[in-house]
C-alpha cells in the first residue's frame, strides 16, 4: 500500500536495511575496545594474532576449540562479533542457523544495546581432508547465505570475512591455511588478512 505524499506521488520510504558491511577507511584499533569475539578454534588464531600484535586493540575473546552455538555462554559487551558454525553445520544449515539465533537472543537479553556482528564462516582449503558430504564449502556457503538473510530480518550486521581469505574458486587460500590435517584453521598471514578486513568493515552508523 503506497502512502501518498503532498505531491500525489509515493512517499519516500527509507531504504531496506542492508546487513552486509561495506569496505571503508580503517578505524582506529581501539574501536574494538568494547567488542567481544565469540568463536571456535578458527577464531583462536585471530585471538593469538591480536595478542601478539594488538592489531585490533583490546577486545575480549571468548574462543575455544569445539565451541558451538549450543555450548557458548553470553557475555556483556557493546559490540559482539560471532563466528560459529563449523562445528555444527554438518548437522543441517537450518538447525545451525537457529542455534546461532538462539545464542544471539541470549546475548541481547543480557546486553540489549549490543550491536551484533555475524561473521561469515570461512571456507575450507581445496584439499581439506575434513571435507565430506555433510561439511564442505557448499554447506558453508548455504549457512552463510542463510545467516545473511537472518541478519537482514533482525537488523544485525553481516561481516563477510570469507571474501577476504578465499581464492578465486571460493576455497581458503592455501597461503592462509595453518593446518593440513583439516584445512580450516588459519596461520598468522590469514589472521592478519582477517584483522585488516575487520578494521576496514565497520558500519558508518557506529563510527
Amino acid at each position: 500500500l503506497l502512502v501518498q505524499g503532498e505531491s500525489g506521488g509515493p512517499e519516500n520510504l527509507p531504504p531496506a536495511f542492508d546487513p552486509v558491511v561495506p569496505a571503508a577507511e580503517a578505524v582506529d584499533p581501539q574501536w574494538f575496545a568494547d567488542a567481544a569475539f565469540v568463536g571456535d578454534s578458527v577464531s583462536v588464531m585471530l585471538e593469538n594474532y591480536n595478542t601478539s600484535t594488538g592489531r585490533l586493540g583490546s577486545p575480549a575473546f571468548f574462543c575455544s576449540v569445539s565451541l558451538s552455538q549450543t555450548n557458548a555462554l553470553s557475555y556483556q559487551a557493546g559490540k559482539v562479533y560471532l563466528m560459529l558454525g563449523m562445528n555444527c553445520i554438518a548437522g543441517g544449515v537450518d538447525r545451525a542457523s537457529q542455534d546461532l539465533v538462539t545464542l544471539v537472543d541470549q546475548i541481547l537479553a543480557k546486553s540489549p544495546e549490543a550491536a551484533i556482528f555475524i561473521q561469515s564462516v570461512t571456507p575450507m582449503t581445496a584439499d581439506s581432508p575434513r571435507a565430506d558430504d555433510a561439511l564442505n564449502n557448499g554447506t558453508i556457503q548455504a549457512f552463510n547465505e542463510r545467516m545473511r538473510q537472518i541478519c537482514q530480518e533482525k537488523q544485525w550486521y553481516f561481516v563477510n570475512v570469507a571474501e577476504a581469505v578465499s581464492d578465486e574458486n571460493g576455497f581458503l587460500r592455501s597461503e592462509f591455511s595453518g593446518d593440513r590435517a583439516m584445512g580450516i584453521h588459519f596461520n598468522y598471514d590469514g589472521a592478519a588478512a582477517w584483522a585488516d578486513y575487520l578494521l576496514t568493515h565497520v558500519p558508518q552508523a557506529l563510527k
Side-chain angles (χ1 to χ4, degrees), residues 45-70:
M45 179 53 75
L46 182 66
E47 178 180 9
N48 293 342
Y49 172 79
N50 195 64
T51 299
S52 298
T53 67
R55 189 77 179 96
L56 295 174
S58 55
F61 282 90
F62 302 98
C63 308
S64 66
V65 175
S66 298
L67 190 68
S68 70
Q69 285 91 319
T70 55

Side-chain angles (χ1 to χ4, degrees), residues 65-207:
V65 175
S66 298
L67 190 68
S68 70
Q69 285 91 319
T70 55
N71 62 13
L73 300 176
S74 59
Y75 305 94
Q76 286 198 11
K79 306 151 188 152
V80 182
Y81 282 78
L82 299 102
M83 182 189 286
L84 291 167
M86 188 67 80
N87 291 309
C88 56
I89 57 176
V93 167
D94 289 341
R95 177 178 176 180
S97 58
Q98 187 52 55
D99 284 346
L100 186 49
V101 169
T102 299
L103 173 59
V104 173
D105 286 343
Q106 292 172 353
I107 292 171
L108 289 174
K110 188 172 184 179
S111 301
E113 301 303 317
I116 300 298
F117 295 81
I118 302 297
Q119 299 177 91
S120 57
V121 172
T122 49
M124 312 169 83
T125 58
D127 59 353
S128 169
R130 180 65 182 83
D132 56 29
D133 289 344
L135 178 60
N136 52 63
N137 279 351
T139 310
I140 291 171
Q141 290 169 2
F143 174 77
N144 286 339
E145 176 56 26
R146 179 63 186 132
M147 289 311 306
R148 187 197 64 76
Q149 294 170 355
I150 289 172
C151 285
Q152 185 168 26
E153 296 165 7
K154 300 281 190 178
Q155 297 202 358
W156 301 338
Y157 294 107
F158 184 80
V159 185
N160 192 18
V161 176
E163 69 177 356
V165 298
S166 300
D167 64 18
E168 61 276 8
N169 296 312
F171 295 105
L172 176 62
R173 291 182 179 275
S174 58
E175 65 267 29
F176 288 166
S177 175
D179 70 317
R180 293 183 178 276
M182 299 185 73
I184 61 175
H185 297 103
F186 289 84
N187 56 23
Y188 263 38
D189 288 340
W194 184 352
D196 287 344
Y197 189 88
L198 293 174
L199 285 162
T200 55
H201 290 74
V202 167
Q204 185 64 38
L206 299 183
K207 292 181 180 178

